[in-house]
Amino acid sequence: MSDEDGEGFMSQLADDMEAVQLRMGSELLDHAGALLGNPKAEPGELRFLSNRLVEALRDALRVAESRGRRLPVSDDDGSAQASEVDE
């Protein structure tokens, strides 16, 4: 399904998924602050938190790379093209 203008169903679905991922990451950061401030936090809780933080960071990087690819880049002649990010 092609969605070249960024306004179609697939783009909206991707935007919605990115918003959910970023919101979940933000909520996880709040939880991490509380757990790390607890001197009685168990090692298993901290390990679980660390794994979730890694997942959230991976999601945030994926969102940033995806959005970066969609940003227009101006050529020397002033025309805009979609940027390409090396992976």
Side-chain angles (χ1 to χ4, degrees):
M1 216 179 216
S2 179
D3 194 3
E4 295 178 20
D5 63 1
E7 298 296 324
F9 174 77
M10 294 304 288
S11 288
Q12 185 60 49
L13 185 62
D15 289 345
D16 291 346
M17 180 58 71
E18 290 172 354
V20 167
Q21 290 171 327
L22 294 176
R23 186 173 54 253
M24 289 174 63
S26 178
E27 291 170 4
L28 182 59
L29 281 176
D30 291 340
H31 178 69
L35 186 60
L36 292 172
N38 178 0
K40 295 181 180 182
E42 297 290 327
E45 292 176 300
L46 295 172
R47 194 169 27 261
F48 182 82
L49 172 65
S50 297
N51 286 325
R52 300 301 75 79
L53 287 169
V54 167
E55 291 169 358
L57 179 56
R58 220 177 259 133
D59 288 343
L61 289 172
R62 191 177 309 119
V63 169
E65 290 171 359
S66 172
R67 290 183 179 182
R69 278 189 223 102
R70 291 185 260 164
L71 293 174
V73 176
S74 294
D75 287 344
D76 291 336
D77 65 1
S79 64
Q81 298 179 3
S83 66
E84 294 182 18
V85 177
D86 292 332
E87 293 185 25

